Amino acid sequence: MATLLQEKEISSLLKKLQGWTRADKEIKKVCELKDFARAMGFVNSVALIAEKMNHHPDIDIRWNKVTLVLSTHSAGGLTSNDFNLAKAIDAL
């Protein structure tokens, strides 16, 4: 099982990400795309990365806005898995 990160580690890692915010035991990002088709294409790209990393975000799609929420549920909070996936998503 992944190890929970300490507050100092979380703050440091969050500063290295683009557009992610923290809400308690999760990090969240809202991505606005040109239209629904591009939002779905983005979600499919995220799905491929998440599957490869075996770490899956909560995803909410509202027309052209995609909200991604990351947390390691099995560990009860934020782990390096969440930040590694967020970094990979930012690289899309």
Side-chain angles (χ1 to χ4, degrees):
M1 177 163 52
T3 304
L4 287 174
L5 296 172
Q6 300 298 313
E7 289 298 321
K8 190 173 181 179
E9 294 171 297
I10 293 168
S11 294
S12 176
L13 290 168
L14 193 58
K15 289 176 186 176
K16 296 176 184 177
L17 298 175
Q18 302 169 0
W20 291 85
T21 58
R22 180 175 179 203
D24 195 25
K25 297 179 180 184
E26 303 173 330
I27 57 174
K28 174 181 172 180
K29 182 173 185 173
V30 178
C31 302
E32 189 168 342
L33 296 109
K34 186 175 179 180
D35 54 32
F36 182 72
R38 290 189 187 176
M40 292 305 299
F42 173 71
V43 168
N44 285 329
S45 295
V46 169
L48 292 172
I49 292 169
E51 191 65 19
K52 185 181 276 189
M53 296 178 78
N54 194 30
H55 192 63
H56 306 92
D58 294 333
I59 302 173
D60 181 51
I61 306 163
R62 310 270 173 140
W63 189 61
N64 71 331
K65 290 183 183 171
V66 177
T67 302
L68 303 165
V69 179
L70 299 176
S71 182
T72 304
H73 301 291
S74 62
L78 293 165
T79 70
S80 60
N81 293 340
D82 302 303
F83 290 91
N84 291 337
L85 180 54
K87 185 177 177 181
I89 291 168
D90 282 348
L92 290 174

